[in-house]
C-alpha cells in the first residue's frame, strides 16, 4: 500500500486529500492536513472518489463510429491521422468559423485545458463553449464594467466577516467557501456574528442562519433592490468609501431612490421587518460580505441579480477589506477579457452573440450549428464535457449534433455525448496523470496545487497533453521536434534553474511568432522530458511562475519563496513542482487589492447603463404566468450528487432516484404520496420523477438535483435528465445564461415506476 497526496475534483474548493492505494485500488480517502488552505477538511462526496476511478464505463482505447452506428477500436495513429486531415480540410474549405471547441479543462482538470485550447488556434477559430458560459459569464461581464477587466473576479472572506449574506447558495452541501461546514458552525456559535440566508428553500444552511428570507423564486432582483433602497434612503451607505474609490454613484442613487420598497418586498413575499433588519445590519456591520451562487445566476434577471449583489458590498464599503469581498490573483489564465463594445469583437453568425471572458454561452450553440447557413459550425471537439446531459435543451443538442460533419469526444467514459461522436478518444483519469486546478481564487493568501499521478493510465488511455500535441503535429501546426531547444533543456546545469532554456524559448517565440499559440506543446516536448517524476505536462507552469513572480514579487516572497528578479519565478516553479500537498504562492495585504483593479485610475465604475435600464423596468414587469402552476428549481445540490464525472450510481448512499421535492400540501392536492411517480412536464418535454414530500420548499415550488440522467446500456436513465425539460431560449437576454432555477412545469400522477 502507498499513500498519495492529491486533491478532490468534485467542486471548486479542490480540498487536499490523502489516498491510500493498494493493488491499483483506492482503499482509504481522507483530508490532507498539509494542504495550505483546506488543512484536512473533507466532505462525504470526496470520500467516495473510488467510484469515479474504478467503474465499468471507462474507455480503454480509441473508438471510431462506422456506417452502421457501431464503434470499432482503432489505433491512436489511425484516429489522429484521420481527425487531423478532416480538420485541416474543413478549415481550408470553410474557415475557422466552422469549428467549435466544447468544454476543455473540466472540473479540477485545468492543466489539460492549457493544451486543448491550442486546437482552436490551429483551426483559427474563436468558438469556445464551456460550462462557465452557462453559469458565470453574467458575473464576468459585470466585473469588466465595474472593475475594468473581466478577469477581475471577486471572492468573499466569509471566515472573517461579522455579517455574512448567502444569496442563492447552500454552502453546507455546495461548499464554495473554505471548509464550509466548519466555517458555518463557527459563525453560528459566535454571538457577535450574523448569518443571513436568502433562498426559496429552507436548506441545510438555513439551520445555521440567524435569518432566512424564503423568497419566491425569480424575485431576487426585487428583494436586493429593496435592500439597497433602504440602505441609501436611510443614509447607511459608506460615503467616504464611495468618494475615494467609486465613480457614478449619483446615477445609482437616483435609481435606488425610485424603488417602491414595500411593493418589491411584497413581490418577494418575505416579511418587510426582516428585510429592513438585514439591510441595516449588513450596512452597519464592521465587516460584511456576500456569497452568491447559481441560485441567483440561473434565475430571472440573472445579470441584474449580479449587479445588485455587487452593489450591496460596494455601496457599504465592504470591498478590499478583511471580512469583505475582494479581488484575487489567478495563477492559471482560465479567463480572458472581451469587450462587446469593441468594433473588432467577433459575434456569432446566427445570434450575433459576443463572447464574455472569451467564452460563448452553450444556449446558442444548437442554433449556430443548425441555423447559421454557410457560416454554421460543422465540426466540434468535446473535451471533459457532456452537453447532452449538462447543457440546456437536450433535444436541440441531439438534433444539432446529428448534422455535424465531424464530432470528436475526449473523455474517460462513454458518455451520452460520446455515443453521438465520430471518434471517441480515451483520456487518462484525473488520478492517472499530472494535473492541477485553476480555481485558486483566494485572497489575501493564494495557493496552487499540482497533483502527481496516483496510478498509471488505464490500458491505451493518454493524458490530454499527449493527445493534443500529437494532433497538432499531425495537423502541421508545430514541427515534430525542436532538437536544439530540447538539447538546451537536457544539457543546462541544474543551477541555471532553466533560465538558459527560457531565454532560448523566448527567442524562438520572437523569431517564429506563429508558434506562440502552441507554446504549451512546445514546452511539453522540449522542457517536459527533463522534469522530475515524469512531470512533462507541468512544463507550461514555468513561464507562468515567472510571470506571476514578476507581477507580484513582494507577495510571492511573503509566501516564503526566495530569489532575485530573475530567479524568483523559477524558485516558485520548483516549489510547485516539488510540494505534493499544494503550495502557497502569494500573500497580499488588503490594501494591495486595489492594485488588482483593471480600470486606469483603479476606481469602480458603479453606473452600468444596461443594468440601470433593467432595474427601472422591474417596476412595470408582470410576473410570468401561463399553464404551468409549479416552478421547478433544477440542479439542486444534495448530499450525494456531484458533477457528471460520477457515472456509477452505486456511489450514492441515498436518493438513488434523484427525487423531486414537493410540499406536502401540493402533493395532497395532486393525490401524490411519498415515493409515487409523477410526470413532470415543461414547455419542452416530460420526464418521470419519484416524489419526495418535503415542507422545506415553498408551495408551488419543486426541486430536482443535478448529476443524474446517465443512460445505461439498456437505455434507461439513472434519475432525472433535467435538460430534457429546459429550453435554450429560456435565458437571460444579455448573457444568455439559462434560467435553470425557474422552469415552469406541471405535474400529474403516473402509475408506472421510474
Amino acid at each position: 500500500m502507498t499513500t498519495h497526496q492529491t486533491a478532490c475534483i468534485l467542486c471548486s474548493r479542490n480540498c487536499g486529500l490523502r489516498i491510500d492505494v493498494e493493488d491499483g485500488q483506492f482503499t482509504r480517502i481522507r483530508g490532507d492536513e498539509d494542504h495550505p488552505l483546506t488543512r484536512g477538511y473533507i466532505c462525504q462526496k470526496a470520500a467516495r472518489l473510488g467510484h469515479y476511478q474504478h467503474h465499468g464505463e471507462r474507455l480503454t482505447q480509441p473508438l471510431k463510429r462506422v456506417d452502421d452506428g457501431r464503434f470499432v477500436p482503432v489505433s491512436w495513429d489511425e484516429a489522429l491521422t484521420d481527425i487531423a486531415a478532416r480538420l485541416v480540410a474543413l478549415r481550408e474549405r470553410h474557415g475557422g468559423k466552422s469549428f467549435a471547441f466544447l468544454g476543455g479543462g473540466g472540473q479540477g482538470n485545468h492543466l489539460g485545458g492549457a493544451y486543448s485550447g491550442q486546437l482552436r488556434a490551429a483551426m483559427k477559430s474563436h468558438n469556445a463553449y464551456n460550462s462557465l458560459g452557462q453559469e458565470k459569464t453574467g458575473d464576468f461581464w459585470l466585473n469588466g464594467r465595474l472593475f475594468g477587466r473581466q478577469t477581475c473576479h471577486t471572492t468573499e472572506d466569509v471566515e472573517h466577516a461579522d455579517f455574512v449574506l448567502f444569496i442563492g447558495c447552500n454552502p453546507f452541501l455546495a461548499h464554495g467557501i473554505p471548509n464550509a461546514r466548519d466555517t458555518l458552525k463557527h459563525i453560528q456559535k459566535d454571538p457577535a456574528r450574523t448569518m443571513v440566508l436568502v433562498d426559496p428553500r429552507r436548506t441545510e444552511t438555513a439551520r445555521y442562519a440567524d435569518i432566512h428570507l424564503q423568497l419566491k423564486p425569480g424575485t431576487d432582483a426585487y428583494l436586493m433592490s429593496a435592500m439597497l433602497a433602504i440602505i441609501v434612503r436611510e443614509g447607511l451607505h459608506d460615503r467616504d468609501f464611495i468618494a475615494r474609490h467609486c465613480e457614478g454613484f449619483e446615477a445609482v442613487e437616483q435609481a435606488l431612490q425610485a424603488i417602491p420598497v414595500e411593493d418589491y418586498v411584497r413581490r418577494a413575499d418575505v416579511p418587510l421587518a426582516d428585510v429592513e433588519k438585514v439591510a441595516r445590519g449588513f450596512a452597519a456591520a464592521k465587516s460584511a460580505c456576500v456569497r452568491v451562487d447559481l441560485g441567483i445566476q440561473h434565475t430571472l434577471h440573472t445579470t441584474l441579480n449580479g449587479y445588485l449583489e455587487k452593489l450591496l458590498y460596494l455601496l457599504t464599503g465592504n470591498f478590499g477589506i478583511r471580512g469583505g469581498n475582494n479581488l484575487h490573483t489567478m495563477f492559471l489564465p482560465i479567463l480572458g477579457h472581451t469587450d462587446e463594445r469593441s468594433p473588432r469583437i467577433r459575434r456569432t453568425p446566427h445570434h450575433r452573440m459576443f463572447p464574455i471572458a472569451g467564452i460563448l454561452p452553450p444556449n446558442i450553440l444548437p442554433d449556430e450549428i443548425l441555423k447559421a447557413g454557410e457560416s454554421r459550425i460543422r465540426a466540434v471537439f468535446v473535451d471533459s464535457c457532456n452537453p447532452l446531459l449538462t447543457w440546456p435543451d437536450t433535444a436541440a443538442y441531439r438534433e444539432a449534433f446529428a448534422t455535424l460533419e465531424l464530432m470528436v469526444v475526449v473523455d474517460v467514459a462513454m458518455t451520452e455525448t460520446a455515443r453521438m461522436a465520430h471518434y471517441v478518444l480515451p483520456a487518462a483519469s484525473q488520478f492517472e496523470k499530472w494535473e492541477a486546478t485553476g480555481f485558486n481564487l483566494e485572497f489575501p493568501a493564494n495557493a496552487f496545487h499540482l497533483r502527481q499521478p496516483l496510478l498509471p493510465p488505464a490500458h491505451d488511455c493518454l493524458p490530454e497533453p499527449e493527445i493534443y500535441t500529437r494532433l497538432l503535429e499531425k495537423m502541421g501546426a508545430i514541427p515534430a521536434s525542436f532538437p536544439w531547444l530540447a538539447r538546451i533543456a537536457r544539457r543546462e546545469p541544474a543551477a541555471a534553474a532553466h533560465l538558459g532554456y527560457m531565454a532560448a524559448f523566448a527567442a524562438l517565440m520572437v523569431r517564429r511568432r506563429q508558434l506562440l499559440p502552441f507554446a504549451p506543446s512546445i514546452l511539453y516536448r522540449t522542457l517536459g522530458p527533463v522534469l522530475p517524476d515524469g512531470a512533462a505536462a507541468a512544463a507550461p507552469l514555468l513561464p507562468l511562475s515567472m510571470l506571476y513572480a514578476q507581477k507580484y514579487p513582494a507577495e510571492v516572497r511573503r509566501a516564503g519563496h526566495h530569489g532575485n528578479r530573475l530567479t524568483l519565478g523559477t524558485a516558485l516553479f520548483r516549489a510547485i513542482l516539488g510540494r505534493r500537498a499544494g503550495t502557497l504562492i502569494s500573500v497580499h495585504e488588503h490594501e494591495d487589492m486595489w492594485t488588482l483593479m483593471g480600470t486606469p485610475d483603479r476606481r469602480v465604475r458603479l453606473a452600468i447603463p444596461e443594468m440601470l435600464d433593467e432595474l427601472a423596468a422591474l417596476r412595470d414587469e408582470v410576473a410570468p404566468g401561463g399553464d404551468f402552476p409549479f416552478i421547478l428549481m433544477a440542479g439542486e445540490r444534495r448530499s450525494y450528487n456531484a458533477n457528471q464525472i460520477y457515472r456509477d450510481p452505486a456511489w450514492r448512499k441515498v436518493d438513488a432516484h434523484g427525487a423531486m421535492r414537493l410540499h406536502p400540501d401540493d402533493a395532497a392536492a395532486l393525490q401524490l404520496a411519498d415515493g409515487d411517480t409523477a410526470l413532470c412536464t415543461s414547455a419542452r418535454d416530460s420526464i418521470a420523477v419519484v416524489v419526495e414530500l418535503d415542507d422545506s420548499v415553498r408551495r408551488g415550488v419543486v426541486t430536482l438535483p443535478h448529476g443524474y440522467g446517465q443512460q445505461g446500456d439498456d437505455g434507461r436513465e439513472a434519475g432525472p435528465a433535467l435538460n430534457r425539460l429546459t429550453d435554450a431560449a429560456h435565458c437571460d437576454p444579455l448573457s444568455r445564461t439559462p434560467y435553470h432555477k425557474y422552469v415552469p412545469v406541471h405535474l400529474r400522477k403516473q402509475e408506472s415506476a421510474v
Side-chain angles (χ1 to χ4, degrees):
M1 186 188 73
T2 56
T3 300
H4 300 271
Q5 291 172 292
T6 185
C8 179
I9 55 176
L10 297 178
C11 83
S12 62
R13 296 311 308 167
N14 299 114
C15 298
L17 302 178
R18 287 179 181 262
I19 298 183
D20 294 344
V21 179
E22 187 170 4
D23 296 329
Q25 300 287 313
F26 292 177
T27 57
R28 185 186 176 203
I29 301 174
R30 57 204 181 277
D32 185 4
E33 294 180 354
D34 290 337
H35 190 277
L37 296 180
T38 60
R39 301 194 180 281
Y41 182 83
I42 187 176
C43 80
Q44 77 282 357
K45 299 181 186 183
R48 298 177 68 77
L49 276 165
H51 289 271
Y52 158 73
Q53 176 60 34
H54 313 296
H55 66 91
E57 291 189 17
R58 279 295 305 275
L59 294 166
T60 58
Q61 56 191 340
L63 300 173
K64 178 181 180 179
R65 182 156 56 88
V66 293
D67 291 343
D68 63 3
R70 293 180 303 112
F71 284 94
V72 298
V74 293
S75 69
W76 276 103
D77 189 67
E78 180 182 348
L80 293 178
T81 298
D82 186 39
I83 292 168
R86 293 170 71 173
L87 287 174
V88 170
L90 192 77
R91 183 189 66 199
E92 298 307 312
R93 286 198 311 270
H94 302 290
K97 63 182 180 296
S98 63
F99 175 81
F101 195 92
L102 282 52
Q107 184 67 264
N109 200 29
H110 295 149
L111 199 58
Y115 293 88
S116 62
Q118 300 173 112
L119 185 55
R120 281 194 303 114
M123 289 299 293
K124 301 179 181 178
S125 171
H126 296 270
N127 296 322
Y129 294 83
N130 61 41
S131 292
L132 285 177
Q134 68 167 353
E135 295 176 350
K136 304 295 183 182
T137 44
D139 185 74
F140 302 155
W141 181 86
L142 290 164
N143 291 339
R145 290 295 186 89
L146 290 166
F147 310 128
R149 300 282 295 177
Q150 291 164 1
T151 53
C152 291
H153 189 262
T154 60
T155 186
E156 58 284 324
D157 189 6
V158 173
E159 308 97 293
H160 302 108
D162 295 313
F163 197 113
V164 180
L165 182 55
F166 292 121
I167 309 178
C169 60
N170 183 12
F172 186 87
L173 288 181
H175 304 283
I177 63 173
N179 301 8
R181 296 177 185 180
D182 293 344
T183 299
L184 294 176
K185 292 173 185 176
H186 291 155
I187 299 172
Q188 183 192 43
K189 291 178 180 179
D190 189 340
R193 304 175 74 187
T194 301
M195 185 195 312
V196 175
L197 175 69
V198 178
D199 198 292
R201 178 176 168 259
R202 191 174 66 251
T203 65
E204 292 75 8
T205 300
R207 302 171 192 160
Y208 295 85
D210 298 283
I211 298 175
H212 175 205
L213 298 176
Q214 194 172 4
L215 77 173
K216 291 174 63 176
T219 63
D220 305 84
Y222 290 100
L223 178 60
M224 286 188 285
S225 58
M227 291 171 58
L228 285 161
I230 292 167
I231 290 170
V232 169
R233 285 183 186 178
E234 298 185 6
L236 302 177
H237 51 291
D238 191 331
R239 294 179 177 85
D240 180 60
F241 174 89
I242 292 169
R244 285 186 292 116
H245 294 296
C246 301
E247 301 282 348
F249 173 67
E250 294 77 10
V252 174
E253 181 182 29
Q254 182 178 358
L256 294 176
Q257 290 284 5
I259 298 295
V261 172
E262 292 79 6
D263 176 47
Y264 280 20
V265 172
R266 189 163 43 251
R267 293 194 192 208
D269 194 25
V270 291
L272 176 61
D274 284 351
V275 176
E276 293 173 334
K277 183 177 181 180
V278 171
R280 292 163 184 161
F282 186 88
K286 182 179 178 182
S287 64
C289 70
V290 186
R291 164 70 187 176
V292 304
D293 208 339
L294 300 183
I296 69 165
Q297 294 167 337
H298 269 180
T299 191
L300 305 182
H301 312 112
T302 296
T303 309
L304 178 62
N305 289 339
Y307 180 56
L308 298 172
E309 163 246 327
K310 294 173 192 299
L311 287 182
L312 280 167
Y313 58 75
L314 288 168
L315 298 191
T316 56
N318 287 292
F319 188 57
I321 65 168
R322 177 181 166 90
N325 290 78
N326 293 278
L327 302 176
H328 59 81
T329 63
M330 196 173 291
F331 184 72
L332 291 183
I334 61 174
L335 298 179
H337 174 78
T338 45
D339 186 350
E340 82 281 6
R341 296 167 296 184
S342 169
R344 295 184 296 178
I345 194 72
R346 295 176 183 264
R347 293 178 177 264
T348 62
H350 181 73
H351 280 280
R352 306 301 297 161
M353 181 60 189
F354 54 89
I356 301 174
I359 305 165
L360 289 167
N363 280 58
I364 70 169
L365 179 57
D367 284 350
E368 299 297 338
I369 296 173
L370 293 169
K371 300 179 180 179
E374 285 302 305
S375 296
R376 68 187 181 274
I377 292 170
R378 302 164 186 264
V380 300
F381 242 75
V382 186
D383 184 310
S384 305
C385 182
N386 190 5
L388 281 185
L389 281 190
T390 62
W391 290 0
D393 207 332
T394 296
Y397 269 99
R398 286 195 181 279
E399 181 184 0
F401 284 168
T403 70
L404 291 170
E405 296 177 29
L406 177 64
M407 180 174 173
V408 179
V409 169
V410 179
D411 214 316
V412 299
M414 182 59 87
T415 65
E416 289 67 29
T417 301
R419 292 185 184 123
M420 295 196 71
H422 298 96
Y423 280 97
V424 183
L425 305 180
S429 84
Q430 293 201 41
F431 298 110
E432 297 170 352
K433 60 193 173 191
W434 285 88
E435 252 307 339
T437 174
F439 293 145
N440 51 309
L441 311 178
E442 302 301 321
F443 186 90
N446 211 349
F448 182 77
H449 194 176
L450 177 67
R451 312 190 305 269
Q452 85 280 18
L454 280 59
L455 299 164
H459 304 284
D460 203 17
C461 298
L462 291 176
E464 289 88 345
E466 185 64 27
I467 294 172
Y468 288 103
T469 301
R470 288 189 191 183
L471 181 57
L472 291 172
E473 290 167 349
K474 287 185 176 292
M475 293 176 69
I478 58 174
S481 64
F482 296 84
W484 64 275
L485 196 56
R487 191 180 310 116
I488 293 172
R490 289 195 307 271
R491 296 182 178 180
E492 186 175 19
H498 306 301
L499 289 175
Y501 169 87
M502 283 306 300
F505 177 79
L508 174 66
M509 294 298 103
V510 170
R511 190 171 69 253
R512 300 176 63 181
R513 296 187 65 86
Q514 74 276 14
L515 293 177
L516 188 58
F518 312 112
S521 282
I522 297 171
L523 288 157
Y524 172 72
R525 280 286 189 248
T526 55
L527 177 64
V530 307
L531 297 181
D533 303 319
L541 299 183
L542 174 58
L544 290 178
S545 297
M546 296 174 74
L547 289 170
Y548 194 84
Q550 289 173 13
K551 198 170 185 178
Y552 312 112
E555 292 78 11
V556 171
R557 292 189 178 97
R558 205 177 287 141
H561 307 287
H562 306 286
N564 58 33
R565 183 174 59 87
L566 293 176
T567 62
L568 183 60
T570 58
L572 177 61
F573 175 67
R574 287 197 300 271
I576 289 172
L577 202 59
R579 183 169 166 78
R580 297 292 183 257
T583 307
L584 196 66
I585 59 174
S586 60
V587 178
H588 281 70
E589 303 290 350
H590 277 91
E591 56 267 25
D592 298 335
M593 193 218 70
W594 294 99
T595 68
L596 305 179
M597 289 282 291
T599 52
D601 57 3
R602 295 178 179 171
R603 291 171 67 84
V604 181
R605 306 293 192 258
L606 292 175
I608 301 178
E610 296 91 335
M611 295 295 96
L612 295 178
D613 289 345
E614 188 173 344
L615 180 61
L618 279 182
R619 182 192 293 262
D620 300 322
E621 186 173 279
V622 178
D627 300 327
F628 299 95
F630 291 94
I631 297 301
L632 165 64
M633 298 197 305
E636 184 182 19
R637 309 288 180 98
R638 296 187 182 172
S639 295
Y640 284 95
N641 66 329
N643 57 49
Q644 284 282 346
I645 68 169
Y646 267 137
R647 293 188 61 83
D648 179 3
W651 87 273
R652 296 187 174 94
K653 288 189 174 182
V654 295
D655 198 21
H657 295 296
M660 170 178 280
R661 287 173 169 160
L662 175 69
H663 193 281
D665 293 346
D666 287 330
L670 295 168
Q671 298 183 324
L672 286 167
D674 224 26
D676 280 353
T677 300
L679 191 69
C680 178
T681 301
S682 72
R684 198 71 173 99
D685 201 352
S686 299
I687 61 172
V689 296
V690 173
V691 170
E692 176 185 312
L693 273 56
D694 189 335
D695 64 2
S696 72
V697 297
R698 293 177 55 110
R699 289 209 62 181
V701 177
V702 294
T703 70
L704 284 171
H706 66 87
Y708 291 74
Q710 299 92 343
Q711 280 191 348
D713 292 336
D714 58 1
R716 289 174 60 87
E717 293 172 344
L722 296 179
N723 283 307
R724 285 175 51 190
L725 298 175
T726 57
D727 190 321
H730 189 52
C731 64
D732 185 80
L734 190 147
S735 65
R736 305 300 177 96
T737 306
Y739 293 149
H740 283 335
K741 305 300 182 185
Y742 197 95
V743 182
V745 298
H746 62 70
L747 305 174
R748 67 176 174 84
K749 190 171 183 177
Q750 182 171 284
E751 298 305 324
S752 60
V754 173

